[in-house]
Amino acid sequence: MGERRPSLLPGGQGTTWRADGIVLRPHGDVREARWRSATLARLAHTDGFRTPCPVPSTDGGWLADGWEAWAWLPGATDPTRVEDVLAAGAAFHRAVAHLPRPAFLDLVDDPWSRADRLVWGPEPLPSEPLLDRLAAGFRPVRAPSQLVHRDLLGNVLFAPGEPPTVFDWAPTWRPVGFAAAVTAVDAVCWHGVPIGRLPALGQLATAPGWPQLLVRALAFRVLVLQLLGAWGDDQAARHRPLAEALLSGAAGTLDA
């Protein structure tokens, strides 16, 4: 890197660095990281979104010594722009809708992937009062699955005159509305978006079974916090109002 001095970037669990025009971050699961870089290297962008391009290592691979590199793009995240994030996510998901399901999704072993599989799988969820109530509200979701980004809200950059940048793709194979539901749950629980905006966000997402997707998305977030060892009374207080609204039908009909 010559004389370039890396600087720590916000987000990214405190492990993402920028050195001039390159962003460096630990790559996580090797199978997922290689697939993501190879996939995004050839993904066509549209007026509705773009993604950073992966930067190969000196040996031509995508990973080196536990790290991956991406081209830096200008912009800033804004979790209050929920509708714009959903629009960027929808454009991104249309662009990847043709991709087949990668086998590694069943093998990635991190709290987010484990929580995702548990919330959508046949196994009972770990017992916890709020999680028990959410799991009791699970109903079948009758919508096709495809590759989606399950962590959009903090991973879309906005820059004047440029399409939104979708980055840090956390891939999963779910109904496309699940990505929008996780975005909406994060916006309500962490960024002060009123619960009353959820029906309008569902219309924007055009997601069949929107209330049920919200229940699954909220259970996913609660379970991730449990698996990270971060669940406690303060987190329960943050997530309980949305759970009460969903399970009482205040945010829509649970069986819808």
Side-chain angles (χ1 to χ4, degrees):
M1 293 185 192
E3 298 300 318
R4 291 178 289 181
R5 295 176 61 87
S7 57
L8 186 64
L9 294 176
Q13 302 179 57
T15 57
T16 301
W17 299 79
R18 177 187 172 191
D20 287 350
I22 295 177
V23 174
L24 299 166
R25 50 172 281 174
H27 59 61
D29 185 271
V30 170
R31 295 157 298 197
E32 179 180 306
R34 285 177 174 155
W35 172 89
R36 178 171 48 235
S37 292
T39 300
L40 293 182
R42 58 179 182 267
L43 183 67
H45 299 165
T46 72
D47 291 340
F49 85 100
R50 60 179 178 169
T51 63
C53 292
V55 177
S57 61
T58 54
D59 65 2
W62 295 121
L63 313 177
D65 298 326
W67 295 84
E68 61 184 358
W70 298 84
W72 178 82
L73 291 175
T77 60
D78 187 348
T80 67
R81 295 177 60 174
V82 188
E83 289 85 356
D84 293 332
V85 170
L86 291 180
F92 174 77
H93 292 140
R94 286 193 294 270
V96 301
H98 66 286
L99 296 174
R101 185 184 189 279
F104 69 76
L105 291 178
D106 296 323
L107 304 173
V108 179
D109 188 29
D110 59 51
W112 297 269
S113 298
R114 293 200 301 272
D116 186 331
R117 289 193 292 266
L118 281 168
V119 165
W120 287 94
E123 300 294 326
L125 302 185
S127 184
E128 188 281 332
L130 186 58
L131 201 54
D132 291 345
R133 295 186 60 205
L134 290 168
F138 284 1
R139 304 288 185 273
V141 176
R142 299 175 179 87
S145 292
Q146 67 159 79
L147 278 165
V148 299
H149 191 320
R150 65 165 178 248
D151 193 17
L152 277 170
L153 189 61
N155 289 313
V156 177
L157 298 173
F158 298 100
E162 299 290 348
T165 299
V166 177
F167 67 103
D168 282 6
W169 185 8
T172 187
W173 187 264
R174 301 296 173 213
V176 71
F178 182 60
V182 173
T183 300
V185 164
D186 289 347
V188 168
C189 293
W190 289 95
H191 300 285
V193 170
I195 291 173
R197 280 178 62 184
L198 289 177
L201 294 177
Q203 292 174 4
L204 178 64
T206 61
W210 178 243
Q212 177 57 215
L213 290 168
L214 289 170
V215 173
R216 301 265 180 164
L218 182 55
F220 165 70
R221 281 306 191 205
V222 171
L223 185 51
V224 166
L225 288 166
Q226 280 194 314
L227 295 175
L228 288 171
W231 185 253
D233 291 342
D234 57 337
Q235 298 292 352
R238 182 183 292 275
H239 293 81
R240 189 178 296 113
L242 179 55
E244 297 290 348
L246 293 173
L247 297 175
S248 69
T253 304
L254 186 60
D255 293 314

